[in-house]
């Protein structure tokens, strides 16, 4: 496995790159905007292709690199379903997995630092975001933080992992790089409490100043989504009711770009063909399934929230599929419209 821990010194943020092999797919956890050029250089040097970029939560101390990495690599952005970010490609919930070639991250909802905080497990390690730090824990006094929720997340979720599980946090301010669950249970001063009330009292007395970048970072990180307006202005987008009117047309192929997990969990548009976004490049090549479909039908792409499909329709048009369009707002908008106009019933 390829594994890199990268440090951004201004906000003391750790970012993590993972891939199963050279020449394979990669993901990054908690990227920082100012380091995007370095990440791209490293992907090239390691001979890996970035396919997913994850934020463990909505950061207040730095501007995320999710949007810039998506724009420059066409990767899938990933956050928890509770996020206040306007659009991310994929939202995960407790018990889900985040998959790339050869690797599967487990998803654990660990609120407390913020209400959208998640941790991600992989074999012998856990990426804890700001929930569990090395000899510390994330503050709980803003962004819907909750010390009681954090106690539950740490004591009843993270500390239940095997003792030798490596702990990789999103930040460290003292030069530490990694710990273990056993170490944190034994030596983390904030975890030497006997009750949840004691922990809540401890956290209420921290009296920390707001992060220096908070007023800049939070608004920027809320607006991380790809602008679908530009795609719509070109006439390449359909609203849900417009797509509904084309469900039974033989000259239209509706293409679902989501992953199997998303389709089985949330459902699908009737009659749609499945071509996952990860296989999109091959499907566009001569002889690929989208090339064949596009030779006789107009293609309409959709995903969860419209971000993957907006990128896909641009690539399809560039590849010569001149009638390709996408469902603006994705399956989420389809479901909202369906509640008011149940055309499939």
């Amino acid at each position: 496995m390829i594994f890199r821990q990268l440090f951004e010194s201004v906000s003391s943020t750790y970012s993590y790159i993972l891939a199963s092999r050279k020449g394979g797919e990669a993901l990054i956890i908690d990227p920082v905007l100012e380091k995007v050029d370095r990440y791209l250089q490293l992907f090239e040097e390691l001979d890996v292709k970035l396919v997913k970029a994850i934020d463990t939560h909505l950061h207040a101390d730095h501007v995320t690199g999710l949007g810039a990495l998506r724009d420059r690599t066409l990767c899938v952005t990933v956050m928890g379903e509770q996020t206040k970010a306007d659009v991310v490609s994929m939202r995960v919930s407790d018990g889900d997995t985040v998959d790339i070639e050869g690797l599967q991250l487990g998803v654990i909802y660990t609120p407390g630092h913020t209400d959208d905080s998640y941790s991600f497990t992989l074999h012998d390690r856990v990426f804890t975001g700001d929930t569990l730090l090395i000899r510390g824990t994330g503050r709980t006094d803003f962004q819907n933080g909750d010390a009681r929720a954090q106690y539950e997340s740490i004591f009843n979720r993270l500390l239940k992992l095997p003792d030798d599980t490596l702990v990789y946090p999103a930040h460290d301010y003292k030069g530490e790089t990694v710990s273990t669950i056993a170490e944190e249970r034994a030596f983390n001063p904030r975890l030497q409490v006997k009750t949840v009330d004691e922990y809540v009292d401890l956290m209420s007395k921290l009296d920390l100043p707001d992060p220096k970048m908070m007023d800049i970072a939070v608004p920027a990180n809320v607006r991380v989504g790809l602008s679908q307006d530009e795609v719509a202005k070109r006439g390449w987008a359909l609203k849900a009711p417009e797509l509904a009117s084309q469900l039974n047309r033989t000259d239209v192929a509706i293409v679902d770009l989501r992953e199997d997990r998303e389709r089985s969990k949330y459902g699908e548009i009737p009659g749609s063909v499945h071509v996952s976004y990860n296989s999109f490049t091959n499907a566009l090549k001569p002889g690929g399934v989208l090339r064949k479909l596009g030779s006789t039908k107009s293609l309409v792409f959709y995903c969860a929230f419209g971000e993957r499909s907006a990128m896909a329709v641009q690539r399809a048009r560039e590849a010569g599929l001149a009638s390709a369009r996408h469902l603006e707002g994705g399956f989420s908008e389809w479901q909202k419209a369906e509640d008011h106009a149940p055309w499939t019933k």
Side-chain angles (χ1 to χ4, degrees):
M1 184 178 76
I2 295 171
F3 175 70
R4 294 291 184 275
Q5 181 183 43
L6 302 167
F7 187 65
E8 192 278 317
S9 59
V10 175
S11 61
S12 298
T13 298
Y14 283 124
S15 303
Y16 301 93
I17 293 173
L18 298 99
S20 65
R21 65 176 179 87
K22 267 196 165 187
E25 297 178 348
L27 63 81
I28 189 168
I29 300 173
D30 288 329
V32 178
L33 178 61
E34 287 78 8
K35 292 292 184 178
V36 165
D37 285 340
R38 173 55 183 150
Y39 304 145
L40 295 174
Q41 178 187 12
L42 192 54
F43 297 140
E44 184 174 344
E45 292 170 353
L46 296 174
D47 186 25
V48 294
K49 178 186 177 183
L50 181 68
V51 296
K52 287 180 180 172
I54 302 170
D55 264 353
T56 54
H57 62 288
L58 192 74
H59 296 283
D61 49 14
H62 68 268
V63 177
T64 179
L66 287 196
L69 286 170
R70 176 205 59 227
D71 292 345
R72 296 176 68 174
T73 70
L74 303 179
C75 69
V76 173
T77 55
V78 183
M79 291 186 74
E81 65 180 359
Q82 294 83 1
T83 184
K84 304 302 187 298
D86 54 354
V87 177
V88 289
S89 298
M90 182 183 297
R91 298 189 182 213
V92 294
S93 58
D94 189 72
D96 285 343
T97 61
V98 177
D99 303 318
I100 63 171
E101 176 200 14
L103 295 177
Q104 183 176 83
L105 298 185
V107 178
I108 308 176
Y109 182 40
T110 51
H113 170 62
T114 64
D115 62 352
D116 70 337
S117 291
Y118 276 78
S119 299
F120 297 87
T121 60
L122 177 66
H123 306 315
D124 63 345
R125 63 200 66 192
V126 59
F127 302 94
T128 55
D130 285 14
T131 300
L132 177 61
L133 306 177
I134 299 174
R135 308 302 191 266
T137 58
R139 63 192 296 172
T140 59
D141 57 337
F142 60 78
Q143 286 186 274
N144 297 318
D146 186 321
R148 288 184 181 276
Q150 189 174 69
Y151 178 94
E152 171 72 21
S153 295
I154 294 172
F155 282 87
N156 294 323
R157 301 303 302 276
L158 296 177
L159 294 186
K160 299 294 186 181
L161 295 171
D163 282 354
D164 59 355
T165 302
L166 299 171
V167 174
Y168 287 103
H171 297 283
D172 189 83
Y173 307 97
K174 298 179 181 178
E176 302 286 347
T177 58
V178 63
S179 182
T180 68
I181 289 295
E183 282 183 45
E184 293 312 306
R185 183 187 294 110
F187 305 118
N188 191 319
R190 293 189 188 172
L191 304 188
Q192 308 313 305
V193 296
K194 297 180 180 179
T195 66
V196 62
D197 290 335
E198 189 178 341
Y199 184 77
V200 170
D201 182 62
L202 182 157
M203 297 301 290
S204 70
K205 294 176 179 177
L206 293 181
D207 193 28
L208 298 171
D210 286 345
K212 294 178 182 178
M213 284 282 291
M214 185 173 178
D215 291 341
I216 297 172
V218 172
N221 292 338
V222 167
R223 297 190 300 271
V224 72
L226 177 74
S227 174
Q228 296 176 40
D229 292 344
E230 293 304 313
V231 176
K233 288 177 183 176
R234 297 182 184 185
W236 300 352
L238 291 175
K239 300 286 188 181
E242 294 176 291
L243 178 56
S245 69
Q246 301 187 25
L247 284 181
N248 297 317
R249 287 179 54 170
T250 58
D251 60 340
V252 175
I254 303 170
V255 182
D256 187 348
L257 300 175
R258 298 172 302 161
E259 297 182 3
D260 287 333
R261 174 191 63 79
E262 297 173 278
R263 286 162 54 84
S264 62
K265 184 173 182 178
Y266 299 108
E268 59 193 81
I269 295 176
S272 57
V273 177
H274 183 216
V275 179
S276 71
Y277 183 76
N278 282 350
S279 65
F280 190 80
T281 298
N282 287 333
L284 271 184
K285 291 178 179 178
V289 61
L290 292 179
R291 280 284 189 174
K292 293 177 181 178
L293 275 175
S295 66
T296 59
K297 299 175 185 288
S298 296
L299 303 181
V300 181
F301 302 115
Y302 77 94
C303 59
F305 304 101
E307 187 163 278
R308 280 170 282 182
S309 59
M311 293 188 287
V313 75
Q314 294 178 74
R315 294 167 65 187
R317 291 268 177 165
E318 290 167 359
L321 298 177
S323 62
R325 292 169 292 174
H326 90 119
L327 174 60
E328 191 171 1
F331 192 68
S332 174
E333 289 302 313
W334 175 268
Q335 289 180 305
K336 291 176 186 176
E338 190 177 31
D339 289 340
H340 300 289
W343 46 73
T344 60
K345 297 180 181 178

